[in-house]
Amino acid sequence: MRKIFIAATLLLGTVSFAQDKMITKTGKITFEASVPAFEEVKGKNDGATCVLNPKTGEIASLALIKGFRFKLALMEEHFNENYAESGTYPKSTFKGKIENFDAATLTATAKDYTIKGKLELHGKTKDISVPAKIRKTDSGIEIISNFYVNADDYGIAIPSVVKSKVSNKVNVKTEFTVK
């Protein structure tokens, strides 16, 4: 009987701890490094993971680099082999905190927040500050951001042959609904 009580206590402790975190494994990350008058350079990943601790505002996300899809298969191949080097650097992560976050005050109307943290990409880690719109939905908490990073900040070299066709300034958009 005592063993059952201990097991039940441990199980309940684990379940209540898990409830402190909200998660999605179907987050969307889109990046675009297009230059006007040339082929669109845009990748989208619909399988990004995001974890939010609604009590503290701590947030983390992970995207597998090979999960990014492009209009053209050849562009996807070049992205994985020549730019992101996904065999060597298979994932990108972000760990940070939403400033002044209070989940209890969220409504259906999006509020502006700033998320500060560390973005790791291509083996390099940089501090970034990201504007985000966050709101409560029937599905959970929706977190949408739109920001820019420089490819060369992360050691991603754009070959001189295509330098005029691919922007070093990359627009990144994220959409997560955590439950």
Side-chain angles (χ1 to χ4, degrees), residues 31-35 41 78-79 82-85 122 149-170:
F31 76 84
E32 186 167 3
S34 301
V35 173
V41 180
H78 285 294
F79 169 77
N82 304 331
Y83 298 94
E85 299 175 280
H122 200 250
V149 295
N150 290 320
D152 57 8
D153 285 348
Y154 295 91
I156 299 172
I158 300 170
S160 58
V161 175
V162 293
K163 197 107 174 132
S164 63
K165 299 178 183 180
V166 179
S167 177
N168 181 59
K169 187 175 181 180
V170 181

Side-chain angles (χ1 to χ4, degrees), residues 7 12 19 25-26 32-33 46 63 66 69-70 72 104 112 117-118 122 126 132-133 144 154:
L12 286 174
Q19 290 175 345
K25 294 182 180 179
T26 57
E32 186 167 3
D46 291 333
K66 285 190 177 180
R69 299 292 172 245
F70 295 75
L72 303 173
D112 292 325
K118 296 186 178 299
H122 200 250
K126 298 283 181 189
K133 293 197 175 292
I144 297 176
Y154 295 91

Side-chain angles (χ1 to χ4, degrees), residues 29-113:
I29 299 176
T30 305
F31 76 84
E32 186 167 3
S34 301
V35 173
F38 288 103
E39 187 77 45
E40 177 183 68
V41 180
K42 186 176 187 178
K44 185 174 184 181
N45 185 329
D46 291 333
T49 300
C50 181
V51 179
L52 170 69
N53 182 331
K55 291 181 180 176
T56 64
E58 293 175 299
I59 188 167
S61 64
L62 176 136
L64 296 177
I65 300 302
K66 285 190 177 180
F68 283 93
R69 299 292 172 245
F70 295 75
K71 250 197 262 187
L72 303 173
L74 184 59
M75 193 175 287
E76 190 171 312
E77 183 181 328
H78 285 294
F79 169 77
N80 281 298
E81 291 178 9
N82 304 331
Y83 298 94
E85 299 175 280
S86 58
T88 304
Y89 308 106
K91 63 185 177 182
S92 175
T93 61
F94 175 83
K95 292 179 185 171
K97 188 168 183 172
I98 305 168
E99 292 188 334
N100 304 313
F101 183 74
D102 183 358
T105 64
L106 292 177
T107 66
T109 303
K111 290 183 183 177
D112 292 325
Y113 287 90

